[in-house]
Amino acid sequence: MALVSLFNIDKNYDVKQLLKGVDFQLNEGERVAIVGQNGCGKSTLIKIISGEVEADSGKRVVDKRIIIDTLDQNPIFKDNLNVRDSIENELTELKTAKERYEQLSLEIAQDYENKKLIDEHAKAIAYLDHHNAWNLDDKIERVLQEFKLKEYEYRDVNSLSGGEQRRVALASLILKKPDVLLLDEPTNHLDVYMVEFLEEILIKEKFTLLIISHDRHFINSIVTRIVEVENRNIVSYDGGYDNYLVLKEQRMLSMQKTHNTLLKFLKKEEEWLRRGVKARLTRNQGRKQRVFDLRDQAKDNPTLIRKMMIELEREKKSFNSQGSISKKKLLFDIENLHYSIAGKNLIEGLTTRILQRDKIAIVGHNGSGKSTLLKLLLGRLQPNSGTIDQGEFAIGYFDQHREMLDNNKNLIDTFCPKGGDIVDVQGKNMHIFAYLKSFLFPQEYMNKKVGLLSGGEKNRVAIALLLTQKVDCLILDEPTNDLDIQTINILEEKLINFPGAILFVSHDRYFIDKIATKLMIFKGDGVVEESFQNYSEYLAIEKNINDLYAIEKEIKKETKRNTIEIKVKKQTKLSYKDQRDLERLPKVIEELEAKIETINNCLYDPNCYEEQGLVNVADKLKATEAEYETITERYLEVLELEEELQS
C-alpha cells in the first residue's frame, strides 16, 4: 500500500532546477535509500516528501492516517530535561495508549459484553502492536546502552555535544516508530557497533523508512530499494547497494549498447543512401571482417564499460606498486605506549611498528581512543608512558575541523598561493581547473571563497589540498564525513594510488574494506588489537563487493563472437528458398529495425523501462538484435550469391 506518492514534481532554487517531472512512491514496509551527488536534490526530495518544502508544481499525496517523522540534523530539545526524560517525553502518546489499554482491560472484565469497550480495546492492541510498545521501559534501557547514552542518562540533554544529541533524537524516533521514518545521514556520529544495533532495530521492527546516507555498508544491510537522483529525475533500483551496482552497470551497458547500435544504424543508412544495398555488399571478405571487428571494438570499449573496468582494477589493486620511497622505511616505532585521561584508560601497553607501505584503518567504539592515537602520533599529545620513535618524513593531516583551510581565500589562492594555475599532484603537474574538476568542482567555483562552501564541499577542498602536499604519510580523521558516494569513490582512488603510508579513523565499513590492509581495533579499556583481516570479515558480516567481478565475467562473455563464414554453393540459379528470401527479407529487416528503434526509445525513457523492467527491456533488445543480425546475414548471403551467379 502506498503511504506517500509524488506525481510530476518540479522544484527550482533560484535559477537552478533540481527536480523535473519526478514520480515517486513509498510503500508500506519499504526501506528506501536516496543516493546521488551532493547538491543534486536528495535533501530537497526528502523535504518535499515530508511536507517541509513545497514543490513548484506536481502533486504530493499522503495517506491521512499516517504519521511522518524526521531526524533533524540539529535537533532541538526542551530546557531542563535530562537524557532519559527527553526520550520519554517523546513517547507520551505510546505511554498514554498503554495506560488506556490497561484501563480498558479492567473495564471489560466488569462489562465484557460492552461492544464499544471491546472495539476500543481492539484498536488499542493494534496500535501498541504496530509500534511494538508493550515493553517500553526495557526498550528505553537497551537503546541507552547501545547508543552509549547510559552514562549521560541524568545529564541535561542540552549540555551534550551535537553528535550525542543526534543519538538521543535517533533513540526517541526508533522507539516511537512513526508510520514513515525519514533519516538524513543517520549513521553520522555512530560507531560501527551502534550502526549494527540500528540496522537490527530497523529490520526487526519492520520500519517503513526513507534515508539519505553515504554509508554503503549500512545501505546494503537494510534497504529494499535504492533511488538515485540524477539529471533532475530519479531512477529506482531494487535491492541493496551490491545489487544497485550490478543493476546500474547493466543499465549503463544497455545505454552504451543502444548508443553503439544507433551509430551502426547511422553508418548503414549513410551507405544505403550513398550506394544502395547492393553497393554495400562485396565479396571482399577482408573488408567485411573489418566491419565486424570495428563493431566488436565499439562494443568492447564504450565509455561506460571502460569506467567499469577501471573500477574493477581499483578493487584488485595490490598496493605493491613501486615508488620512490623505500618499501621498508620505518615511520613509527611504538613501544609499550600508555595513555589515559580523566581516569579512563584509552591505550595500554601498545607496541607496534608502522611502515611506509602500511594502509591502516583505526576502528572501534566512539570514545575508545582512536583520534587520541592520531594526536599522539602527530605529537599533539604526550603519552603517560612508553615511546613513539619517529623517522624523518613528512605527514599530511586531515581533521574533522578542516584546520588547513582559510575561509577568506578562494580556491585558486588556496591551491596556488604563489600565483599561477598549476598544481603539483604527487610529482605530476596539473592545471588547477582539471585537478579540481576531478573532485567535482566546476570552473565557476575557482573564485569562490572557501567560507561560502558547504561542509561537504569544504571536505572535498581539504582532501584535494592534502593530496597536493609532498608527504610520506597521510593521517586522516573521519575523511568520508559529509561526502557523497561519488566523492568517496574519488577519494578511494586517490588513496589507493598514494605511494606512502595511510593511517585513518573511519566508521565507513565499505571504505575501510577498500583501503585498509591492516586494522588497529580499539576494544575499550586500553586494549588495542591488530589484524590483517578484511573489516567486514572481522565483524562477521559476510557481504562484500565480489559481484563486481561477476560483471567483469559477464562483459567478457557478451563480447565474444564467432567468426561468420559465408559459404556460397556452386549453382546456376537461385533455389526456390533463396529466391523467396531475396524477396521477403527486406520487409522483415525493415520491421526489425522499427522494433529495435522502439525498444531503444524505451531505454531512453525511465517511465517506460521502469514499467516494463530494465532487465526485460534489455533482454528484448538483445534478442531482437540477434534476430536482426541473423536475418541480415542471410539476406547478404543471398544477395552475394545472386551477384556471383550474374558475374
Side-chain angles (χ1 to χ4, degrees):
M1 180 180 69
L3 301 182
V4 183
S5 299
L6 302 181
F7 300 99
N8 200 28
I9 293 295
D10 290 356
K11 183 62 182 177
N12 298 327
Y13 276 113
D14 296 327
V15 296
K16 182 179 181 181
Q17 185 166 31
L18 289 179
L19 304 172
K20 181 179 181 180
V22 171
D23 294 323
F24 173 79
Q25 183 170 291
L26 180 66
N27 297 316
E28 185 175 6
E30 278 195 305
R31 298 185 296 274
V32 179
I34 302 176
V35 301
Q37 290 187 9
N38 285 343
C40 69
K42 301 189 299 293
S43 296
T44 299
L45 178 61
I46 208 170
K47 288 176 181 178
I48 291 173
I49 291 168
S50 70
E52 181 182 346
V53 169
E54 286 191 11
D56 296 333
S57 62
K59 187 176 183 181
R60 171 180 177 266
V61 178
V62 179
D63 189 326
K64 294 181 179 179
R65 298 169 297 176
I66 69 169
I67 295 175
I68 300 175
D69 218 335
T70 305
L71 175 64
D72 294 325
Q73 288 286 354
N74 299 297
I76 298 175
F77 299 93
K78 293 182 179 179
D79 292 333
N80 303 318
L81 285 180
N82 61 36
V83 169
R84 175 177 279 274
D85 289 342
S86 177
I87 293 174
E88 292 187 344
N89 188 60
E90 294 295 316
L91 306 177
T92 302
E93 290 186 17
L94 295 179
K95 287 181 173 288
T96 300
K98 180 75 179 299
E99 292 169 359
R100 180 56 181 160
Y101 159 79
E102 293 170 349
Q103 180 63 34
L104 287 168
S105 299
L106 293 175
E107 292 179 9
I108 288 175
Q110 303 297 322
D111 188 4
Y112 57 85
E113 293 184 350
N114 189 319
K115 189 174 184 306
K116 183 178 179 181
L117 288 177
I118 292 172
D119 288 344
E120 188 180 353
H121 189 259
K123 290 179 181 178
I125 291 174
Y127 180 79
L128 293 171
D129 278 343
H130 175 73
H131 294 279
N132 197 9
W134 295 102
N135 54 343
L136 280 177
D137 289 339
D138 291 343
K139 293 176 74 174
I140 291 171
E141 191 64 28
R142 187 184 179 200
V143 81
L144 287 171
Q145 294 283 356
E146 296 289 350
F147 279 164
K148 300 295 183 290
L149 295 170
K150 186 66 178 175
E151 59 187 291
Y152 309 126
E153 182 176 7
Y154 298 110
R155 183 170 154 184
D156 190 325
V157 68
N158 286 306
S159 70
L160 301 181
S161 69
E164 291 160 350
Q165 288 183 351
R166 270 178 59 88
R167 298 211 300 270
V168 174
L170 182 57
S172 302
L173 279 174
I174 63 177
L175 291 172
K176 284 168 65 177
K177 194 190 175 186
D179 300 295
V180 174
L181 180 57
L182 309 180
L183 301 176
D184 192 348
E185 297 292 0
T187 61
N188 280 2
H189 309 292
L190 302 184
D191 62 33
V192 168
Y193 305 99
M194 297 177 192
V195 173
E196 286 187 329
F197 168 69
L198 179 60
E199 292 169 354
E200 175 193 338
I201 290 295
L202 294 176
I203 294 172
K204 182 179 178 181
E205 301 287 350
K206 299 179 180 179
F207 274 77
T208 299
L209 181 67
L210 188 64
I211 65 169
I212 295 174
S213 179
H214 71 266
D215 187 330
R216 292 159 291 180
H217 203 292
F218 176 69
I219 291 173
N220 204 36
S221 299
I222 70 161
V223 306
T224 58
R225 180 160 62 101
I226 291 176
V227 169
E228 182 166 25
V229 182
E230 63 174 20
N231 297 327
R232 298 172 296 170
N233 211 299
I234 63 172
V235 181
S236 183
Y237 302 89
D238 290 334
Y241 190 76
D242 282 349
N243 204 48
Y244 155 78
L245 289 177
V246 175
L247 293 177
K248 185 172 182 181
E249 289 302 331
Q250 289 178 355
R251 174 171 169 256
M252 287 181 174
L253 291 174
S254 295
M255 291 172 67
Q256 187 64 41
K257 187 175 181 181
T258 300
H259 177 68
N260 291 340
T261 301
L262 290 174
L263 291 177
K264 184 171 63 175
F265 287 163
L266 179 61
K267 182 178 179 180
K268 287 183 178 180
E269 289 302 313
E270 287 174 347
E271 290 292 329
W272 190 289
L273 291 173
R274 189 159 59 242
R275 296 183 181 178
V277 178
K278 292 186 180 181
R280 292 188 301 134
L281 306 173
T282 176
R283 283 163 291 177
N284 185 342
Q285 291 301 306
R287 180 177 178 184
K288 189 170 185 179
Q289 186 58 48
R290 283 196 297 273
V291 174
F292 293 145
D293 291 342
L294 287 172
R295 187 188 303 162
D296 287 342
Q297 184 179 350
K299 185 179 180 183
D300 288 344
N301 299 298
T303 301
L304 297 175
I305 293 179
R306 188 163 61 250
K307 178 183 176 184
M308 180 59 192
M309 298 304 295
I310 290 171
E311 288 297 327
L312 288 168
E313 288 304 315
R314 289 173 184 166
E315 296 295 337
K316 297 185 292 182
K317 200 167 182 67
S318 66
F319 306 99
N320 291 324
S321 59
Q322 295 297 319
S324 59
I325 305 170
S326 171
K327 189 184 296 186
K328 298 296 183 181
K329 186 174 181 180
L330 179 64
L331 300 187
F332 297 99
D333 190 357
I334 302 171
E335 184 71 29
N336 199 26
L337 187 67
H338 290 260
Y339 188 85
S340 61
I341 185 170
K344 185 176 182 179
N345 205 14
L346 297 180
I347 300 171
E348 183 174 0
L350 174 62
T351 297
T352 189
R353 288 184 170 186
I354 298 172
L355 303 178
Q356 180 61 53
R357 296 295 180 188
D358 284 341
K359 304 286 191 294
I360 301 174
I362 302 169
V363 299
H365 288 289
N366 283 350
S368 59
K370 303 184 299 297
S371 295
T372 298
L373 176 61
L374 298 187
K375 292 175 182 176
L376 287 165
L377 296 177
L378 290 165
R380 300 186 178 192
L381 293 176
Q382 297 302 315
N384 301 133
S385 62
T387 59
I388 302 176
D389 290 333
Q390 180 178 331
E392 294 184 5
F393 60 92
I395 297 175
Y397 176 52
F398 173 89
D399 72 313
Q400 299 181 51
H401 304 293
R402 302 178 284 266
E403 62 183 33
M404 67 174 68
L405 300 182
D406 184 342
N407 286 333
N408 295 316
K409 287 185 176 181
N410 60 29
L411 294 191
I412 291 180
D413 292 338
T414 298
F415 285 85
C416 303
K418 297 180 181 179
D421 52 14
I422 300 298
V423 290
D424 184 336
V425 184
Q426 306 300 321
K428 178 182 177 182
N429 286 332
M430 293 185 67
H431 195 282
I432 184 173
F433 294 166
Y435 181 58
L436 290 181
K437 184 179 179 181
S438 72
F439 283 88
L440 307 180
F441 285 106
Q443 187 170 335
E444 55 265 27
Y445 269 58
M446 296 303 106
N447 292 311
K448 196 170 185 178
K449 292 287 184 65
V450 171
L452 299 177
L453 301 177
S454 68
E457 290 169 338
K458 287 181 179 179
N459 267 12
R460 273 191 273 156
V461 172
I463 290 168
L465 185 60
L466 183 64
L467 292 170
T468 65
Q469 298 177 359
K470 294 181 180 179
V471 297
D472 306 302
C473 175
L474 294 176
I475 294 181
L476 314 173
D477 194 355
E478 294 288 2
T480 64
N481 274 6
D482 296 321
L483 299 183
D484 56 37
I485 291 174
Q486 288 80 357
T487 308
I488 294 174
N489 283 330
I490 293 170
L491 174 61
E492 288 168 349
E493 179 185 7
K494 303 295 185 184
L495 295 182
I496 286 172
N497 292 319
F498 180 70
I502 302 173
L503 292 87
F504 64 99
V505 172
S506 180
H507 297 302
D508 187 330
R509 288 166 284 180
Y510 211 97
F511 178 76
I512 294 169
D513 285 344
K514 291 186 76 172
I515 303 301
T517 58
K518 179 181 176 182
L519 305 175
M520 294 183 70
I521 305 143
F522 279 67
K523 308 287 290 184
D525 296 324
V527 177
V528 181
E529 290 183 1
E530 293 184 288
S531 173
F532 290 92
Q533 282 181 290
N534 174 280
Y535 191 37
S536 293
E537 292 174 357
Y538 179 85
L539 295 169
I541 298 172
E542 297 178 348
K543 298 192 175 187
N544 52 52
I545 53 177
N546 288 336
D547 286 344
L548 291 174
Y549 297 103
I551 293 175
E552 184 182 34
K553 292 179 182 178
E554 190 64 27
I555 292 170
K556 291 179 180 179
K557 181 180 177 182
E558 287 185 2
T559 54
K560 286 182 180 178
R561 289 173 178 254
N562 296 323
T563 303
I564 300 174
E565 295 182 357
I566 300 177
K567 296 181 180 179
V568 180
K569 293 183 179 180
K570 293 294 182 181
Q571 58 188 79
T572 58
K573 65 177 182 177
L574 292 176
S575 67
Y576 172 79
K577 183 178 184 302
D578 292 337
Q579 187 63 44
R580 185 171 176 269
D581 285 348
L582 186 64
E583 295 169 356
R584 75 178 184 88
L585 289 184
K587 183 178 180 181
V588 175
I589 290 172
E590 289 179 5
E591 291 173 351
L592 288 173
E593 287 175 343
K595 186 176 180 181
I596 289 172
E597 183 178 5
T598 300
I599 299 172
N600 282 328
N601 290 336
C602 184
L603 281 173
Y604 282 118
D605 183 358
N607 293 329
C608 179
Y609 64 66
E610 285 183 4
E611 178 181 351
Q612 298 185 30
L614 179 60
V615 174
N616 291 336
V617 177
D619 288 343
K620 187 186 298 182
L621 177 62
K622 184 177 180 181
T624 306
E625 286 182 331
E627 183 181 1
Y628 176 82
E629 291 294 335
T630 301
I631 296 295
T632 301
E633 290 304 320
R634 171 57 183 161
Y635 185 49
L636 296 177
E637 181 183 41
V638 176
L639 280 174
E640 289 185 351
L641 180 57
E642 183 185 40
E643 284 186 356
E644 180 73 20
L645 293 174
Q646 290 176 355
S647 62

